Amino acid sequence: MIVGYAYASVEGHDYMALRGPAGVIHDLFVEPEKRSQGIGRMLLEAAVAALKERGANLIVLSTAHRNEAAQRLFAAAGFRPTMVEMTLDVKA
């Protein structure tokens, strides 16, 4: 049974994000009923290790502003905020 996954890659310059080459964690997911068991931490550690193996000197990720649980996980692993994305909903 699959209870979660991590998807990451090594990418070149990203001029929109104002950064050079980096490892990017695109997605990390754990089934809701399996959360708070350390699975997310293990997936994050495995993704970071794989990106380092592939030569990443910088690793970035994004999370929803309201996803405080994920932000705590990432902060505990040493990640820090670096960018703020802002959204404007425009009604027709």
Side-chain angles (χ1 to χ4, degrees):
M1 169 194 270
I2 296 173
V3 297
Y5 66 87
Y7 167 58
S9 64
V10 176
E11 299 183 357
H13 285 85
D14 183 333
Y15 297 101
M16 290 294 295
L18 305 173
R19 64 154 177 78
V24 180
I25 298 176
H26 298 281
D27 200 9
L28 191 147
F29 175 79
V30 176
E31 289 288 347
E33 66 274 4
K34 297 294 184 179
R35 293 179 182 165
S36 298
Q37 298 180 26
I39 296 167
R41 179 184 45 76
M42 288 186 288
L43 287 168
L44 182 60
E45 289 172 356
V48 167
L51 291 168
K52 284 181 182 179
E53 264 183 29
R54 288 165 179 76
N57 293 318
L58 174 72
I59 300 173
V60 297
L61 54 79
S62 296
T63 183
H65 180 69
R66 294 181 180 173
N67 193 347
E68 294 175 1
Q71 292 168 29
R72 284 190 301 273
L73 170 66
F74 301 142
F79 286 83
R80 67 191 188 306
T82 54
M83 297 287 284
V84 174
E85 177 182 299
M86 300 176 76
T87 303
L88 172 66
D89 289 325
V90 180
K91 304 294 182 201

